[in-house]
Amino acid sequence: MRWTQRAAADGRPLLPDAGALRVALVIPAQGPAGIFGPACELCAGLAAEEVNAAGGVLGRELHLVPVDGGGPPGRVADEVAALVGSGLVEGVTGWHISSVRQAVAPRIAGRVPYVYTALYEGGERTEGIYLTSETPDSQLLPAVRLLAAELRVRRWFLVGNDYVWPRRTSRAAHRYIRSAGGRVCGEEYVPLGNRDFGRVLRRIETSDADAVLMLLVGSDAVRFNRAFAARGLHQRTLRLSTLMDENMLMASGARATQGLYSTAGFFASLATADTLDFHGRYTARYGLTAPAPGSLGESCYEGVLLLAALIARAGSPAVAAIERAADQVSYEGARGLLRLTGRHVRQRIYLAQADGLDFSVAADLDAWSGERA
């Protein structure tokens, strides 16, 4: 990772000056989530450049301090806490898995604002933590309802990595599936970095499932997609993922994405004024060969914008001041005009179907929502 906000005339990055507002950008450079780490970095960098071009935050230039969020949670928390404790950063943002968030949060709670951009299992209420992305009540519940009504999906098999986000999302999925008239006919959890899905696929094959809910991260999901298609299961069993972007489709390969659906608040193929404008700026800045800015990377763009808006509205990076002003904060990004309510951003969620190496948006899930976590 690198400094992305300012460059000297020869293109070399500059270190931040003493008056800069420094923010830790915690994104994965390794592990299963490392597959979309580059998109996270570029999207966050674009947001910081745009904030600075508009005058910065309270007259201060915003600089991102990269932290590898793909390492062991305790090690990541140690690094972030050291940056906060030494005064080297005045805020934290980025995409990282929930076990990293749970390790970081108690170490910095109340000391600096922390904008968490990953979709997650819901329920985070810690003071000073603000959340931009999807939760199961707004993302998974309406997708289950739509698939039950439109495609008559009733029997589900759940497969996820073995940590907090998949486990807690699966609990919610059991409720959602029952409420839609279906049932869970099997579930399996594998370690992060799993490479052998043979046992899981055999269980899916004998379960007679209509659909598989995938709660797998990054390269683990890619390997699952390839193995699933190689076994021919894509011809009879639908897959739904709540964590799947265009970079993961590319890595899976077009032959492994048939019958694959995803649900998120952003897809690269969304043709709204906001998304088209964002893509134009992203491409102008990084070129046509840059990593696809899918929902996971783009969330880091949202995170920087929200953190800047929180500090600007409060007139200070102090958490107490931000807490008093948080529910008055709104900002406009690639997902449109968004507002913060109860420390969470609420947004439109879409269901998309994989079309080779891209997603085709099939439905706005607003009409299918209802229950809130």
Side-chain angles (χ1 to χ4, degrees):
M1 288 184 281
R2 59 188 183 277
W3 295 101
T4 55
Q5 288 66 57
R6 290 194 304 158
D10 62 0
R12 291 180 301 170
L14 296 176
L15 294 177
D17 58 54
L21 176 69
R22 294 181 293 276
V23 172
L25 176 66
V26 186
I27 56 176
Q30 62 178 302
I35 189 172
F36 44 80
C40 291
E41 182 184 6
L42 296 183
C43 288
L46 178 63
E49 289 177 357
E50 292 177 355
V51 167
N52 289 335
V57 183
L58 302 178
R60 302 169 66 188
E61 194 166 44
L62 174 64
H63 288 273
L64 301 179
V65 178
V67 174
D68 180 7
R75 186 185 305 165
V76 178
D78 286 344
E79 185 172 351
V80 175
L83 288 169
V84 171
S86 62
L88 290 176
V89 299
E90 297 176 75
V92 176
T93 190
W95 197 109
H96 35 279
I97 64 174
S98 286
S99 53
V100 172
R101 185 194 80 251
Q102 289 186 326
V104 169
R107 303 284 297 276
I108 66 170
R111 301 166 68 188
V112 298
Y114 177 13
V115 174
Y116 184 64
T117 78
L119 63 102
Y120 86 113
E121 63 280 359
E124 179 63 73
R125 298 289 185 268
T126 305
E127 180 180 356
I129 300 181
Y130 309 95
L131 305 109
T132 70
S133 285
E134 305 89 346
T135 51
D137 61 322
S138 63
Q139 182 186 23
L140 180 57
L141 171 62
V144 166
R145 287 174 170 169
L146 184 150
L147 292 172
E150 301 292 335
L151 299 182
R152 301 186 63 80
V153 172
R154 294 289 186 271
R155 298 181 301 278
W156 289 83
F157 194 101
L158 315 183
V159 56
N161 288 118
D162 193 5
Y163 75 99
V164 59
W165 165 65
R167 289 282 188 176
R168 292 191 181 173
T169 301
S170 290
R171 281 187 226 161
H174 276 265
R175 298 197 310 272
Y176 302 158
I177 290 165
R178 284 196 303 270
S179 73
R183 65 183 178 89
V184 173
C185 56
E187 57 189 303
E188 188 91 25
Y189 299 92
V190 298
L192 284 163
N194 184 67
R195 293 182 174 275
D196 182 4
F197 287 97
R199 167 186 159 83
V200 179
L201 295 173
R202 287 191 295 273
R203 287 197 62 200
I204 293 170
E205 205 165 33
T206 59
S207 71
D208 199 29
D210 299 320
V212 174
L213 174 60
M214 295 173 55
L215 302 171
L216 297 165
V217 177
S219 57
D220 286 14
V222 168
R223 284 189 286 269
F224 180 82
N225 282 338
R226 291 174 179 171
F228 191 88
R231 208 172 183 97
L233 288 169
H234 64 296
Q235 296 174 355
R236 72 181 209 193
T237 308
L238 174 153
R239 280 162 291 167
L240 173 66
S241 174
T242 59
L243 197 168
M244 182 71 59
D245 77 345
E246 290 77 1
N247 294 295
M248 293 162 65
L249 289 185
M250 182 73 70
S252 298
R255 287 185 292 183
T257 62
Q258 180 182 331
L260 173 62
Y261 289 79
S262 180
T263 175
F266 178 89
F267 290 97
S269 59
L270 272 172
T272 67
D274 294 303
T275 57
L276 292 172
D277 189 41
F278 169 75
H279 283 300
R281 299 194 311 276
Y282 182 88
T283 302
R285 177 63 180 86
Y286 299 120
L288 293 172
T289 60
S295 61
L296 311 175
E298 192 278 334
S299 75
C300 292
Y301 180 85
E302 303 284 330
V304 172
L305 293 186
L306 175 56
L307 185 58
L310 286 165
I311 294 171
R313 181 74 185 192
S316 166
V319 171
I322 290 173
E323 283 286 293
R324 290 192 294 270
D327 280 347
Q328 305 167 42
V329 168
S330 63
Y331 68 96
E332 190 158 10
R335 304 186 189 206
L337 178 63
L338 300 177
R339 300 184 184 279
L340 196 67
T341 303
R343 302 193 183 102
H344 284 68
V345 168
R346 295 297 184 185
Q347 60 191 288
R348 285 192 174 277
I349 307 293
Y350 304 90
L351 180 71
Q353 182 173 9
D355 181 10
L357 302 180
D358 204 352
F359 279 112
S360 175
V361 176
D364 180 334
L365 292 178
D366 188 58
W368 297 91
S369 62
E371 181 178 336
R372 290 292 179 188

